[in-house]
Amino acid sequence: MPYLIIEPFLLWFLSYDCFRRLQNADYRPARGYFRLLYSPYFIALALLQVLSVLVQIYALPRYVTDICCAVIGVVFACIPHKVRFKFTKRVIRMLCVQLALLIGISFASIITYAVAALPFITLVSLVFCLPTDFAVARYYIRKARHKLENSNVTVIAVTGSYGKTSVKDMLCSLLDDSACASGSCNTPLGIAAYINKTDFYYVKYLVLEFGARKRGDIAELCRLYKPKYGIITGVCAQHLSTFKSLENVIAAKRELAEYLPENGVCVLNYADEIAAGFVNAGKCCKQLSNVDVSVQTNKITVDGTELSVSYRKTVKSVRLPQITAYTADTFLMCLKMCLTLGQSFTKTLQRAVNVRQTPHRMEIAKAQNCYIIDDGYNGNIVGVTSMAKTLNLFDRHKTVITQGLVECGNKRKELNVQCGRILGEACDVAIVLGANAKFLEEGLKQTDCTVFRVKSLKQAVAQAQGYLNGPDKSILLFQNDLPDNL
């Protein structure tokens, strides 16, 4: 009888890694959760399953299996991961359902026979909690909408296939009396959570990032949070696994210009051909970012970018901490929006001292024997091309660690071969890993770049160490996110 209580709790504890991986996949199993079936964790579950069967066949003490279960659970719970597991209210609900399911199984059969099924039992817990999760999400979104409607805040929405977070952060730094969420907060529930916890008493402008994975997502965000102003940073083939085609991506990003009110304004990135083509979309006023104002790059170094800004025959210099070739376009879009909102040219440039590097977007830091560039959120070919253009400005030894481009749909091979070729032309050494490694290698081998394939991020960093020494500081680049689910 004690086993009916003890063993469900042991398996519940052993489910930790399932929930961690599910949270890492944003509770969307198709986004990498099933990779655990090829991981050491699942191998351990399978061996434990075999042991439990042998214990039953040969009538061995059941505590043998229980001890092994506890040991394996402790080992995997203590392994450090790049993304820490968070015990959110959603996770706690799922954990409660998981425990109830395991206790039910223990009364129906021998619980240790369910060891190898833990990843799938976790998915059942997810499904059971979905109605509650939807209800909770609707409540928080309604609360956020009500808070916005009863405030004097004007919403500015930023969307695009690339550069959303960089533009959002820079605009908030340049625009007086403004606020924005940190990081990539761009979903209905994520935006609602930020609004609900933020005091808007001294805020005039709320800068929101609008993300999308299918047509209609931007339109939904516009209906929920009603922006009056908007910026479209650019459009390219990204998230094709959900969008299915570039045409759908274009239609989705166009939705911002279509849903802004007639008295609103949408700033379009003149440097992006598709975004600039939205000048006839919707009823709001559209403005290309380079009308009446221009920004030129004077110099890019590892310490930042120096720009020359012209407006109404006035030319001034601005220094920013960003090191990207597209910093000028980002600043131009933000400057155009500030001028549109009535903030003076002089004040906007004075506030440039507030601009900081955006985390994981060509974020550069000094290490002991190299510069480390974190480009972890660069997930499209336009970003890779711009990143390579920046690297070519630095006469230093360059090593890149990359998993290529993900969520590319049926263009996965084509885009990753192209990504490999671009990286190979900009870097001296490339260390590839993950599901796209073979495609990256195909592109890299068309260049003179030295290529290594490894199985984990830890191995990649160890491999890169041998190329980070010398009298001149070298560069180590992390391209695209390298999650624990690899």
Side-chain angles (χ1 to χ4, degrees):
M1 185 66 180
Y3 290 108
L4 296 178
I5 302 299
I6 295 174
E7 290 178 347
F9 274 93
L10 286 173
L11 291 191
W12 185 60
F13 177 60
L14 193 58
S15 301
Y16 168 84
D17 211 54
C18 295
F19 283 96
R20 181 189 66 80
R21 289 171 180 270
L22 189 59
Q23 188 178 74
N24 234 21
D26 197 26
Y27 305 101
R28 300 174 185 177
R31 297 184 64 186
Y33 175 74
F34 291 107
R35 290 180 187 149
L36 71 80
L37 300 179
Y38 307 96
S39 68
Y41 170 73
F42 189 72
I43 293 173
L45 292 185
L47 292 175
L48 189 58
Q49 181 71 81
V50 172
L51 176 62
S52 68
V53 173
L54 293 176
V55 166
Q56 296 299 322
I57 292 175
Y58 295 103
L60 299 174
R62 287 176 64 171
Y63 64 76
V64 173
T65 305
D66 296 340
I67 291 174
C68 291
C69 182
V71 170
I72 292 172
V74 170
V75 168
F76 282 95
C78 292
I79 294 176
H81 297 285
K82 189 177 71 169
V83 180
R84 296 182 62 182
F85 182 65
K86 299 177 183 178
F87 284 93
T88 62
K89 293 179 180 179
R90 182 175 189 177
V91 167
I92 292 172
R93 287 195 296 270
M94 290 174 60
L95 285 170
C96 292
V97 172
Q98 180 91 337
L99 181 59
L101 287 172
L102 291 172
I103 291 174
I105 293 172
S106 71
F107 280 96
S109 65
I110 298 173
I111 184 65
T112 49
Y113 283 162
V115 174
L118 279 179
F120 305 99
I121 296 174
T122 302
L123 293 182
V124 174
S125 300
L126 172 67
V127 172
F128 266 96
C129 291
L130 283 179
T132 302
D133 293 336
F134 287 146
V136 170
R138 286 196 298 270
Y139 166 75
Y140 284 117
I141 290 172
R142 284 198 302 268
K143 183 179 178 181
R145 290 182 64 187
H146 180 74
K147 184 174 182 179
L148 272 184
E149 290 169 356
N150 288 275
S151 72
N152 295 318
V153 171
T154 299
V155 176
I156 305 169
V158 180
T159 194
S161 298
Y162 56 87
K164 295 186 294 293
T165 306
S166 298
V167 170
K168 176 205 68 178
D169 288 351
M170 187 178 290
L171 178 60
C172 193
S173 297
L174 295 174
L175 185 60
D176 199 14
D177 300 324
S178 63
C180 70
S182 60
S184 298
C185 177
N186 58 23
T187 64
L189 189 56
I191 292 172
Y194 170 73
I195 292 172
N196 287 329
K197 70 180 181 182
T198 303
D199 181 5
F200 294 119
Y201 187 78
Y202 295 104
V203 174
K204 185 176 181 180
Y205 298 106
L206 174 60
V207 186
L208 297 179
E209 177 180 333
F210 281 8
R213 291 188 176 275
K214 63 182 185 301
R215 293 178 69 163
D217 283 356
I218 300 297
E220 179 189 7
L221 287 166
C222 288
R223 287 192 293 268
L224 292 176
Y225 302 114
K226 295 180 171 50
K228 182 177 180 180
Y229 300 93
I231 299 176
I232 300 180
T233 63
V235 184
C236 68
Q238 190 182 34
H239 299 313
L240 291 182
S241 59
T242 53
F243 275 115
K244 305 303 181 185
S245 69
L246 177 58
E247 290 71 23
N248 286 334
V249 179
I250 294 171
K253 303 307 178 183
R254 184 187 175 96
E255 288 169 2
L256 178 58
E258 293 173 336
Y259 278 82
L260 288 178
E262 193 170 351
N263 63 342
V265 178
C266 188
V267 173
L268 308 173
N269 181 9
Y270 88 99
D272 185 276
E273 183 179 353
I274 298 177
F278 293 157
V279 289
N280 296 317
K283 296 181 179 180
C284 69
C285 173
K286 269 73 62 180
Q287 295 187 7
L288 293 178
S289 57
N290 66 334
V291 174
D292 299 326
V293 62
S294 67
V295 177
Q296 301 295 327
T297 301
N298 292 337
K299 183 172 59 175
I300 298 177
T301 69
V302 291
D303 297 316
T305 300
E306 184 180 300
L307 302 175
S308 178
V309 187
S310 303
Y311 177 65
R312 292 182 177 176
K313 298 181 180 182
T314 300
V315 181
K316 293 189 177 182
S317 294
V318 174
R319 188 169 186 83
L320 300 173
Q322 284 79 3
I323 63 167
T324 61
Y326 55 81
T327 298
D329 293 333
T330 301
F331 186 81
L332 185 58
M333 285 183 277
C334 296
L335 174 59
K336 185 65 177 178
M337 179 55 72
C338 290
L339 294 173
T340 298
L341 296 172
Q343 182 167 290
S344 72
F345 177 67
T346 301
K347 184 173 185 178
T348 302
L349 266 57
Q350 288 173 344
R351 290 184 59 85
V353 296
N354 299 321
V355 175
R356 299 289 181 266
Q357 292 191 75
T358 301
H360 313 301
R361 280 88 171 173
M362 290 296 285
E363 181 183 17
I364 189 168
K366 292 182 180 180
Q368 184 177 2
N369 58 351
C370 69
Y371 284 92
I372 296 177
I373 298 178
D374 177 1
D375 203 23
Y377 287 0
N378 181 357
N380 61 76
I381 201 66
V382 172
V384 171
T385 302
S386 180
M387 173 269 293
K389 185 178 179 181
T390 299
L391 287 181
N392 287 328
L393 299 173
F394 305 137
D395 186 18
R396 301 167 183 268
H397 187 281
K398 288 155 278 194
T399 301
V400 60
I401 298 176
T402 178
Q403 68 151 334
L405 305 178
V406 298
E407 298 184 353
C408 297
N410 57 11
K411 290 194 174 184
R412 175 185 166 195
K413 178 179 179 180
E414 174 190 341
L415 290 174
N416 278 288
V417 170
Q418 185 181 356
C419 177
R421 185 169 60 252
I422 294 170
L423 290 173
E425 291 171 350
C427 299
D428 302 287
V429 177
I431 303 169
V432 300
L433 67 161
N436 297 317
K438 60 181 179 181
F439 304 133
L440 291 166
E441 281 185 316
E442 185 177 334
L444 285 161
K445 288 179 179 178
Q446 298 174 25
T447 71
D448 295 328
C449 183
T450 301
V451 186
F452 298 97
R453 188 196 292 199
V454 297
K455 294 183 178 179
S456 69
L457 180 58
K458 184 177 180 180
Q459 291 179 5
V461 173
Q463 182 72 52
Q465 290 294 330
Y467 297 93
L468 304 182
N469 298 316
D472 295 324
K473 285 186 177 294
S474 53
I475 289 176
L476 174 60
L477 169 72
F478 291 88
Q479 187 274 320
N480 209 346
D481 197 18
L482 298 162
D484 294 316
N485 281 352
L486 279 173

